[in-house]
Amino acid sequence: MKILKIIMLIFGLLCVAMGILWIGQGLNIIRWPAESFMIGVPQWSWNGSALALFGAGLIWFARRK
């Protein structure tokens, strides 16, 4: 079961990082990559928020005893 918790923790961290990137692109704060279709589209900030919350939930679940 320890390996499953490690996998969930890594996946959760990746989800949070990707969610923050999507939030930044959707709010036109992060303009990388320059040709991304997500830049300046507010829907992606909502999608990123949901993904980051999901990742935070995975992290919490993996870290609990």
Side-chain angles (χ1 to χ4, degrees):
M1 284 311 243
K2 182 142 176 82
I3 190 72
L4 182 60
K5 286 190 173 201
I6 293 171
I7 291 170
M8 284 175 53
L9 182 64
I10 292 170
F11 189 66
L13 289 171
L14 289 173
C15 285
V16 169
M18 188 178 297
I20 291 171
L21 176 66
W22 287 4
I23 291 168
Q25 285 182 331
L27 295 177
N28 208 13
I29 296 170
I30 301 172
R31 300 194 56 77
W32 175 84
E35 63 275 354
S36 176
F37 62 92
M38 295 174 9
I39 294 175
V41 181
Q43 179 61 44
W44 286 103
S45 63
W46 290 106
N47 294 348
S49 298
L51 183 61
L53 284 174
F54 175 74
L58 281 177
I59 293 168
W60 173 80
F61 192 75
R63 303 256 319 147
R64 72 185 182 115
K65 298 196 185 232

